[in-house]
Amino acid sequence: MGPDVPLLNDYKQEFFLKRFPQTVLGGPRFKLGYCAPPYIYVNQIILFLTPWVLGGVGTLLYQLGIMKDYYTAALSGGLMFVTALILQMTNLYAKQKTVRVERMQIQNTLTDEDEFEFSSCVGSETVKFIIPGKKYIINTVFHSLLAGVLCGLGTWYLLPNRITLLYSNIGGTVMIFVFGWVTICIGEYSLIINTATETATFQALDTYEITALMRPFYIFVFIAVDLAHRFAVNTAILEQTNQILHIIFLFLPFLWAMGILPPLDALFLWGMEQLLEFGLGGSPMSSNTKLLVMFLISAGTAIASYFIPSTLGVILFMTGFGFILSLNLSEIGFAFKHTMISHLASSKSKNMHRGLRIQFGWREFIFYLTVLTFALIEASLLHQFAGFSSFSKASPQAIASYILIILLIIMWLLREIQRVYLFGVFRNPFYPKDVRTVTVFMEKQRRLMKVGVVRRILLTLVSPFAMIAFLSLDRSLQNLHSVSVCIGFTRIFRMVWQNTENALLDIVVVSIAQMLVFNPDLWWNRSLDTGIRLLLVGILRDRLLQFVSKLQFAIAILLTSWTEKKQRRKSTATLITLNVVFLPILLTFVAISALLSSPLLPLFTLPVFLIGFPRPIRSWPGPVGATACVCSDTVYYQQMVPSLAVALQSALAAGSLGLSLPGSHYLCRFQDRLMWILVLEKGFTYCGVNIKGLELQETSCHAAEAHRVDEIFEMAFEHQQHAKILSPNHHFGHILTPCTVLPVRLYSDARSVLSGIIDSHENLKHLKDDFIKVLVWMLVQYCYKKSKTLESPGNADKSKGGSFPENPHSGAVERSRPLREEDSFSVDTIEDWTDDSDIFDLEPSGRLKDRKEPGQLGTTPKVHLPIPGSVETRSQDVPQEMSPEDKLYRAVVLGLPAVDKGKQQEVLPQVEFSCCYSELLSIPEEWRTAPVPTSKVNEMRQRFPEEWYHFTLSQLDFFHLKEKPSNLLEDLMKDKALKDLYIHGVLSCCFGLFGLDNTVPAPSHVFRAYTGGIPWSVGLDWLTGKPELFQLALKAFRYTFKLMVDKASLGPVENFKELANYLEEYENDWYIGLVSDLEWQQAVLQEKPYLFSLGHDPNMGIYTGRVLTLQELLVQVGKLNDEAVRGQWANLSWELLYATNDDEERYSIQAHPVLLRNLTVQAADPPLGYPIYSSELLHLPLF
């Protein structure tokens, strides 16, 4: 579609214009979209102003000196509480009244979905429309009480005398009083009357009515600061803060409407995450439960360190707990629990989680225990003997600083040298060029792998101990019972292990600052200890990186909105001009979003930037990997993810993926597969990631962006053979920066056109002969495998009834009448034609039903149709009285020859084998009952490949027999009765699939036979009545077709040995079937080496072959701009959850080759996104 596709369609525009004013005012609905009585609007205005009126009564009494300020607040709050309860009781009464007298209404689908019929000013419909009420009774009481408290404290907060004391300005007092009460009225209305839909929406559903508490909560925060200023000792900071907040208080409705302030669930999760990461040195967690537990434990550790009486104890406590909390405690707990269960059960648990989990055993335990022991010894010794000297250029702490600076430079170089682009700009001359195959890549990668091992050792062992040495020598640790020391050093002692690279950078920056600034009177040295300095540097580093990343994202949107022709709208020039004119405001927005660690939201992905509300780093509220749009292609991702996870382990540990932090996004590409990787947790020697798989059926938008991704990766990895040294990245500025390639064990997908093979007369002429050979091999193998349950001919005779399906009558099997050669129609088929059948149908409806339910074949009662003038015969086993169901099938058939029904019952002659072991390879008796004429049996004897039959028998070993004669195979080959059984079995299958004609099958018939969709025939009806034999025949035909393709591609088969090798390879290493088969998906998950499928394109009129080959291949990996992803996801959340713009052709989902907009939307968590696969949290060990 063109770039000027509407941002919102007409219906959604009208919907948005009704919803947004309601959001701004907190819930009143003044724009309904249909005519409503005036009292609807008047009632809402009265309810909106009620808190102001009640607060105004208290304010007036206070201003007149009748009541004290706190009595005034209590009076206003009490009045509001009673009013709120009355309103809620009114709603409950209206609901009960409506339930008692319910009027039936015919819903008109052409009217607006929220249209009401109002009868009076205080009618039940009016009350329910204005006051929807609460879901839960407890919320009715709690929200009413909260409304009273809010009104009372709001009255106290906005007392004119109090405001005058703050500003000493009458005009300012009036402005704050008036607009402040508007803010309180908005909060009260949202709480007690009707909760407005918030632009800042985190959860799709508000199950517990938390949204109603959002606006009152922020009002309480402002009031809390004012109360602190009232009752605390007069401090200049509190007074200035209170003055600023009184002004910001007036803009709360604007902040709510613009969605800058987060909803309460997102606020608390974001707050805990920020405190855990920057205040306590931890890492963001992958679930809300883990985040809460880790936050409480970490906070408890920091508090406990405050009460330790000795400096050595503080050092050991912080070092030990910092190391322990940085480990993957959830996986260690899982391993411990599994071990205990196994120990108590005295056996290995069979319930072991199948996902990729860390196998925490004795090796890991000893490693962690050794590292912890050395860390405690190092910290205690250094602090005890060298921890009291002041910082100078020759002090022990300065020496540790020099070591850390060298380590930082070395590790930074070792990390960059493993990536395909240096700094994302110039191509790395040390990276292998023209990477296409695994063997060539691994050969060229050996040097870089050694570099990765060195970096891993420096990162895991050397750097943490060097940083502990620096921290243990710091004099700030002498200050016991200091809050700043407890917070700062608890954080950094943990961050040393939890986030080693960033901790190393922070310590180097602080140590360089200490070397350059020796003035003790400077604020940096006088007021801050080392722990708080590191905390401030860490926050500054994170926010600065976010600012740069968000600025890159904003510039990319601005530039591409003009340079990409398909993104150029009529309003683009105007928007770019406005952004340039108001550049300071744009930079302010970027800075504020970076300061809050919230996404920069491009409205509809246009260059219109807003500040999104802060939210957890994973962006979505649901559990990781809980939902996905599962389809038949999901199995390809399920198969490859374990191998991809193993490859990611080494890449993350070596540093070839750059600086990977929680919140980092990566995109992997292989053929038509796109994997989206999100880093969720990171700690000492582990990393937690989520891997999503995007759809394989490419839409036009998906294909356009995937094509650009392929261009970027090809430019980086495949077209560099003749490139210059340090050649620039031609796609610099794109949100995707190539990193490296990973060897992953997965399926390559090769598709070919079979024109010239399937339509070749020569190939089709040999198809039947090859099918007979393959079928002979298949039947022999089937009977041989079945015979392995039998040990001797004696046992075979005893268990004959249990081995093969047999008629319950005394050895007799009903056999159908042999068809005459000129006969192609049987009177028995008439019963399947109904009045509803079309005479042009290929099959009667009854036959189709029978074929769809092979398990029920043969259960339909046999109808014996009497012909007028003939004598009806009955068999002895048919009951004399017909059932009602039989009577339904009785009919008079005219114009058909008389049939002697007595001839249909024949008893199969007892087969007499010349070899007593032939019974082991005997075909089941029910497979010998095909209605084929005798002449066709004789013809099959002529065509039967006797030499191939003998060769197949000669390959059998019969090792499972305890006693067997030496000439067993020769006796089996000479047994003519056994050969006749196989001749008849092969003929039965040929009759079912090809009919009685000897003509060369057409390509369409071959395709139908391959897919199992052959038109109905008598032979096929008999064959489908034997499901096991039918599956064998179908499997044999598919093997035959694959053999025909291989012979056409690789040359003819030279001898029987080669043919047998082909068939054994098909049986062991191939799945040959259809992509739609359930067995195909099972074969992919079982990692069959090869899969083959036949397809047909009706539009092109061609037949295609598809071959999946399991092998280790190179998957290309690139790093995405984290803020570009978060910004687009923030817009997606706003657009779908608030604006409800779910149009599949909306502008914000159209292809954008630079922002990868369509792929980013796909990768979002359902229901907003639609990945076809999403893994659970994968724990990757990095040592």
Side-chain angles (χ1 to χ4, degrees):
M1 298 183 70
D4 285 307
V5 60
L7 303 177
L8 288 170
N9 59 38
D10 294 338
Y11 172 75
K12 295 298 181 182
Q13 286 179 18
E14 182 182 355
F15 176 80
F16 178 77
L17 292 176
K18 288 190 296 183
R19 171 172 277 190
F20 188 68
Q22 183 184 353
T23 301
V24 172
L25 295 175
R29 288 181 274 188
F30 294 130
K31 185 175 175 60
L32 300 180
Y34 57 91
C35 293
Y39 55 75
I40 295 296
Y41 305 103
V42 174
N43 287 350
Q44 292 184 86
I45 294 172
I46 292 172
L47 291 175
F48 181 81
L49 297 176
T50 297
W52 197 348
V53 173
L54 299 178
V57 171
T59 303
L60 183 62
L61 294 175
Y62 171 74
Q63 293 296 119
L64 295 176
I66 299 174
M67 297 181 70
K68 298 287 187 182
D69 54 355
Y70 44 88
Y71 289 129
T72 296
L75 175 64
S76 299
L79 292 174
M80 188 64 218
F81 173 62
V82 173
T83 304
L85 275 180
I86 292 173
L87 292 173
Q88 293 300 313
M89 293 303 109
T90 303
N91 172 265
L92 290 175
Y93 174 75
K95 286 182 177 179
Q96 291 176 357
K97 184 178 178 182
T98 307
V99 170
R100 284 199 299 266
V101 182
E102 181 121 13
R103 184 175 61 184
M104 296 298 293
Q105 295 183 355
I106 300 174
Q107 182 70 29
N108 185 359
T109 57
L110 299 178
T111 60
D112 199 310
E113 67 273 8
D114 58 355
E115 185 171 338
F116 284 76
E117 291 184 4
F118 304 106
S119 56
S120 66
C121 180
V122 290
S124 59
E125 291 295 333
T126 304
V127 173
K128 288 193 299 179
F129 173 76
I130 297 176
I131 311 170
K134 306 296 179 182
K135 295 180 185 177
Y136 309 104
I137 297 297
I138 188 172
N139 280 344
T140 300
V141 178
F142 175 64
H143 289 186
S144 299
L145 179 62
L146 200 63
V149 175
L150 178 61
C151 185
L153 292 178
T155 303
W156 204 3
Y157 185 71
L158 293 175
L159 288 174
N161 284 358
R162 177 65 178 171
I163 300 173
T164 304
L165 287 176
L166 283 175
Y167 297 100
S168 302
N169 187 299
I170 299 299
T173 300
V174 173
M175 292 287 292
I176 292 176
F177 179 79
V178 172
F179 289 101
W181 268 109
V182 171
T183 300
I184 291 179
C185 288
I186 289 173
E188 290 280 13
Y189 199 99
S190 179
L191 176 63
I192 204 65
I193 308 297
N194 182 26
T195 303
T197 304
E198 300 289 351
T199 49
T201 303
F202 189 56
Q203 300 274 3
L205 297 175
D206 184 22
T207 307
Y208 302 106
E209 298 177 310
I210 299 175
T211 306
L213 305 175
M214 172 185 164
R215 302 193 183 200
F217 172 81
Y218 287 107
I219 294 174
F220 280 128
V221 170
F222 283 75
I223 293 174
V225 175
D226 182 67
L227 293 176
H229 181 218
R230 285 174 185 267
F231 297 107
V233 180
N234 288 331
T235 55
I237 295 178
L238 265 180
E239 183 175 359
Q240 292 174 2
T241 304
N242 199 13
Q243 289 174 347
I244 295 171
L245 290 182
H246 266 78
I247 297 173
I248 297 177
F249 188 77
L250 310 183
F251 294 94
L252 275 180
F254 173 78
L255 298 177
W256 289 327
M258 301 308 294
I260 297 174
L261 297 178
L264 297 186
D265 47 358
L267 175 66
F268 286 112
L269 292 174
W270 169 81
M272 281 194 297
E273 191 175 85
Q274 293 293 305
L275 287 174
L276 178 62
E277 184 175 2
F278 299 103
L280 300 170
S283 164
M285 294 285 114
S286 59
S287 69
N288 299 338
T289 304
K290 290 176 69 175
L291 178 63
L292 178 60
V293 171
M294 185 57 72
F295 175 77
L296 294 176
I297 295 174
S298 303
T301 303
I303 294 170
S305 65
Y306 180 83
F307 298 99
I308 298 177
S310 68
T311 57
L312 182 60
V314 169
I315 290 282
L316 294 176
F317 182 82
M318 290 180 176
T319 304
F321 271 90
F323 175 79
I324 292 171
L325 292 178
S326 69
L327 300 177
N328 193 0
L329 296 180
S330 62
E331 284 305 293
I332 294 175
F334 171 83
F336 178 76
K337 178 182 176 182
H338 174 66
T339 304
M340 292 301 296
I341 292 174
S342 300
H343 179 72
L344 292 175
S346 301
S347 63
K348 213 171 185 179
S349 174
K350 296 180 180 178
N351 267 345
M352 186 64 181
H353 188 47
R354 293 183 63 188
L356 186 74
R357 303 193 73 128
I358 294 179
Q359 300 300 316
F360 186 83
W362 286 108
R363 184 175 67 90
E364 290 79 11
F365 177 76
I366 293 173
F367 171 74
Y368 289 144
L369 185 63
T370 304
V371 172
L372 176 61
T373 303
F374 277 104
L376 293 174
I377 293 173
E378 179 196 20
S380 58
L381 291 178
L382 288 175
H383 180 74
Q384 191 71 22
F385 297 107
F388 299 97
S389 59
S390 60
F391 188 87
S392 63
K393 291 185 178 180
S395 65
Q397 193 175 19
I399 296 173
S401 300
Y402 301 143
I403 296 174
L404 291 175
I405 293 171
I406 295 172
L407 277 174
L408 177 65
I409 295 172
I410 293 174
M411 287 179 57
W412 180 70
L413 290 174
L414 294 181
R415 185 184 71 203
E416 288 296 323
I417 206 172
Q418 295 181 77
R419 303 176 66 187
V420 66
Y421 285 116
L422 298 174
F423 320 113
V425 181
F426 302 104
R427 195 177 195 289
N428 182 3
F430 300 100
Y431 197 86
K433 293 183 178 180
D434 202 21
V435 178
R436 295 178 186 269
T437 61
V438 176
T439 53
V440 174
F441 173 73
M442 297 304 291
E443 183 69 26
K444 296 181 178 180
Q445 183 76 354
R446 285 182 179 177
R447 289 179 300 174
L448 294 183
M449 291 175 66
K450 295 176 182 177
V451 169
V453 171
V454 173
R455 184 183 177 278
R456 187 183 307 183
I457 295 172
L458 293 178
L459 180 66
T460 306
L461 297 176
V462 179
S463 297
F465 284 100
M467 286 186 281
I468 287 177
F470 174 87
L471 296 172
S472 302
L473 296 170
D474 196 86
R475 291 191 65 187
S476 302
L477 288 169
Q478 304 299 325
N479 301 326
L480 287 175
H481 310 298
S482 169
V483 175
S484 63
V485 168
C486 290
I487 294 175
F489 278 92
T490 301
R491 170 187 174 275
I492 194 61
F493 268 107
R494 178 176 177 180
M495 195 176 172
V496 160
W497 307 100
Q498 188 92 49
N499 194 347
T500 307
E501 291 183 79
N502 282 342
L504 181 60
L505 177 61
D506 295 348
I507 292 177
V508 166
V509 171
V510 170
S511 61
I512 290 175
Q514 280 184 308
M515 292 176 188
L516 299 177
V517 182
F518 285 102
N519 186 1
D521 297 327
L522 197 67
W523 169 79
W524 176 264
N525 288 329
R526 185 184 72 253
S527 303
L528 303 177
D529 58 60
T530 304
I532 298 300
R533 292 175 201 160
L534 289 168
L535 189 149
L536 294 176
V537 168
I539 294 176
L540 183 63
R541 165 190 46 77
D542 179 78
R543 296 316 193 244
L544 186 61
L545 291 176
Q546 283 197 39
F547 178 82
V548 173
S549 185
K550 292 177 196 294
L551 192 60
Q552 289 177 346
F553 175 46
I555 293 173
I557 290 182
L558 277 169
L559 294 179
T560 55
S561 65
W562 184 261
T563 56
E564 295 285 336
K565 291 184 179 180
K566 290 187 177 181
Q567 308 302 323
R568 194 181 302 168
R569 298 172 61 87
K570 294 177 181 178
S571 59
T572 299
T574 305
L575 292 176
I576 293 176
T577 304
L578 290 174
N579 276 279
V580 173
V581 172
F582 296 102
L583 182 61
I585 297 177
L586 173 60
L587 293 177
T588 303
F589 278 16
V590 174
I592 293 174
S593 64
L595 188 64
L596 295 175
S597 188
S598 62
L600 182 67
L601 192 155
L603 198 62
F604 298 106
T605 63
L606 291 172
V608 179
F609 299 101
L610 302 176
I611 302 170
F613 66 86
R615 64 200 79 193
I617 201 71
R618 64 180 186 273
S619 294
W620 306 111
V624 174
T627 55
C629 303
V630 179
C631 65
S632 58
D633 293 331
T634 302
V635 292
Y636 302 116
Y637 291 112
Q638 290 176 333
Q639 178 274 325
M640 70 177 294
V641 160
S643 178
L644 177 61
V646 172
L648 283 173
Q649 290 178 13
S650 58
L652 288 168
S656 55
L657 297 183
L659 183 61
S660 58
L661 300 172
S664 297
H665 294 261
Y666 296 91
L667 186 66
C668 303
R669 177 71 167 168
F670 176 78
Q671 290 186 348
D672 57 352
R673 272 152 277 181
L674 281 163
M675 290 70 70
W676 193 286
I677 301 171
L678 171 60
V679 179
L680 294 166
E681 301 177 12
K682 197 166 185 186
F684 182 64
T685 67
Y686 90 95
C687 183
V689 302
N690 166 242
I691 301 178
K692 294 175 182 174
L694 307 188
E695 62 181 1
L696 304 186
Q697 301 296 329
E698 295 184 348
T699 61
S700 57
C701 296
H702 180 105
E705 294 184 357
H707 180 67
R708 178 62 62 91
V709 170
D710 291 335
E711 283 183 4
I712 294 172
F713 282 132
E714 287 173 6
M715 184 67 69
F717 299 114
E718 298 179 9
H719 298 162
Q720 292 293 331
Q721 191 65 37
H722 305 290
K724 298 178 182 179
I725 298 177
L726 295 177
S727 59
N729 178 8
H730 296 285
H731 295 279
F732 179 74
H734 196 280
I735 72 164
L736 177 66
T737 302
C739 292
T740 187
V741 292
L742 302 176
V744 179
R745 184 174 174 80
L746 45 67
Y747 281 100
S748 63
D749 193 347
R751 303 173 192 242
S752 58
V753 178
L754 298 180
S755 299
I757 297 178
I758 192 173
D759 52 2
S760 169
H761 183 77
E762 189 69 23
N763 293 337
L764 294 174
K765 189 169 64 174
H766 295 292
L767 184 68
K768 281 189 178 180
D769 293 336
D770 288 341
F771 172 69
I772 293 172
K773 291 180 182 178
V774 174
L775 189 58
V776 167
W777 183 86
M778 198 80 72
L779 289 173
V780 170
Q781 294 296 322
Y782 170 83
C783 296
Y784 175 70
K785 288 176 183 177
K786 208 165 185 179
S787 72
K788 288 187 176 181
T789 58
L790 309 174
E791 296 182 0
S792 65
N795 286 344
D797 293 335
K798 291 177 185 178
S799 59
K800 179 179 176 182
S803 299
F804 304 125
E806 203 164 326
N807 194 289
H809 302 296
S810 57
V813 177
E814 183 180 343
R815 183 174 180 179
S816 302
R817 172 181 61 86
L819 287 181
R820 298 194 304 270
E821 292 182 51
E822 67 276 7
D823 233 345
S824 62
F825 185 82
S826 171
V827 67
D828 300 335
T829 66
I830 296 300
E831 65 187 78
D832 292 311
W833 295 94
T834 66
D835 293 338
D836 297 330
S837 300
D838 190 338
I839 62 172
F840 297 106
D841 283 345
L842 291 176
E843 302 183 49
S845 58
R847 294 291 184 184
L848 288 172
K849 291 176 183 177
D850 291 347
R851 286 176 58 191
K852 288 179 182 176
E853 301 178 6
Q856 298 179 0
L857 286 169
T859 61
T860 304
K862 193 71 176 177
V863 181
H864 302 276
L865 305 178
I867 305 298
S870 67
V871 178
E872 182 180 353
T873 60
R874 290 185 183 271
S875 100
Q876 294 180 357
D877 55 352
V878 176
Q880 294 296 320
E881 291 189 9
M882 297 180 64
S883 66
E885 188 179 3
D886 290 332
K887 291 179 181 179
L888 291 175
Y889 284 95
R890 275 188 83 87
V892 176
V893 182
L894 300 176
L896 294 178
V899 178
D900 188 355
K901 304 295 287 187
K903 291 186 178 179
Q904 285 191 313
Q905 286 269 104
E906 288 188 7
V907 177
L908 286 177
Q910 186 69 30
V911 180
E912 296 182 2
F913 298 112
S914 61
C915 175
C916 61
Y917 287 89
S918 295
E919 184 66 34
L920 295 177
L921 299 180
S922 175
I923 293 177
E925 290 184 354
E926 65 172 4
W927 292 5
R928 314 172 199 167
T929 60
V932 292
T934 308
S935 60
K936 290 295 179 183
V937 176
N938 296 329
E939 184 180 329
M940 178 56 70
R941 282 196 178 94
Q942 301 296 325
R943 295 178 58 188
F944 188 76
E946 188 168 350
E947 293 182 0
W948 167 250
Y949 168 72
H950 291 162
F951 176 82
T952 304
L953 291 178
S954 67
Q955 302 301 305
L956 305 179
D957 47 40
F958 289 100
F959 286 150
H960 57 282
L961 297 180
K962 295 180 180 178
E963 297 178 1
K964 60 179 180 179
S966 57
N967 58 346
L968 171 61
L969 296 178
E970 295 180 7
D971 293 342
L972 289 175
M973 294 179 194
K974 294 177 181 178
D975 195 333
K976 293 184 178 180
L978 182 63
K979 186 180 77 170
D980 286 343
L981 288 182
Y982 278 94
I983 290 173
H984 202 94
V986 170
L987 177 61
S988 301
C989 295
C990 289
F991 174 52
L993 294 182
F994 297 107
L996 298 176
D997 298 330
N998 292 327
T999 57
V1000 177
S1004 59
H1005 185 87
V1006 172
F1007 177 74
R1008 287 184 177 184
Y1010 186 95
T1011 58
I1014 309 172
W1016 180 88
S1017 65
V1018 176
L1020 181 64
D1021 188 54
W1022 176 88
L1023 187 59
T1024 52
K1026 316 295 181 291
E1028 200 170 5
L1029 179 61
F1030 177 70
Q1031 291 302 320
L1032 275 177
L1034 183 62
K1035 187 177 179 182
F1037 185 83
R1038 290 175 174 178
Y1039 282 14
T1040 305
F1041 182 82
K1042 181 65 175 65
L1043 181 65
M1044 181 183 78
V1045 174
D1046 287 346
K1047 286 165 62 178
S1049 305
L1050 305 176
V1053 177
E1054 300 293 338
N1055 48 51
F1056 289 157
K1057 184 66 176 175
E1058 186 178 353
L1059 177 58
N1061 290 339
Y1062 268 117
L1063 297 179
E1064 288 174 5
E1065 183 183 353
Y1066 295 160
E1067 185 71 20
N1068 299 325
D1069 298 338
W1070 285 79
Y1071 174 77
I1072 302 173
L1074 297 174
V1075 177
S1076 57
D1077 292 342
L1078 179 62
E1079 292 80 3
W1080 178 281
Q1081 299 184 23
Q1082 293 172 350
V1084 171
L1085 295 178
Q1086 294 167 4
E1087 296 195 337
K1088 276 274 188 181
Y1090 307 97
L1091 291 90
F1092 176 83
S1093 174
L1094 176 64
H1096 179 241
D1097 186 349
N1099 298 323
M1100 301 288 292
I1102 57 175
Y1103 296 93
T1104 57
R1106 183 180 182 186
V1107 177
L1108 299 186
T1109 306
L1110 183 66
Q1111 53 189 324
E1112 194 171 46
L1113 297 167
L1114 295 177
V1115 173
Q1116 300 155 333
V1117 186
K1119 194 174 190 302
L1120 295 161
N1121 184 324
D1122 309 334
E1123 295 304 322
V1125 175
R1126 294 183 67 203
Q1128 293 183 75
W1129 280 357
N1131 172 71
L1132 176 68
S1133 178
W1134 177 88
E1135 198 172 344
L1136 267 66
L1137 296 181
Y1138 181 76
T1140 65
N1141 187 24
D1142 56 355
D1143 187 354
E1144 294 182 356
E1145 298 297 334
R1146 64 185 184 271
Y1147 173 78
S1148 60
I1149 203 175
Q1150 300 298 314
H1152 195 303
V1154 176
L1155 298 181
L1156 302 181
R1157 189 165 53 193
N1158 186 270
L1159 298 180
T1160 305
V1161 169
Q1162 284 187 51
D1165 280 7
L1168 305 186
Y1170 45 98
I1172 65 173
Y1173 171 79
S1174 182
S1175 71
E1176 295 181 349
L1177 179 69
L1178 301 178
H1179 302 270
L1180 309 181
L1182 304 182
F1183 63 91

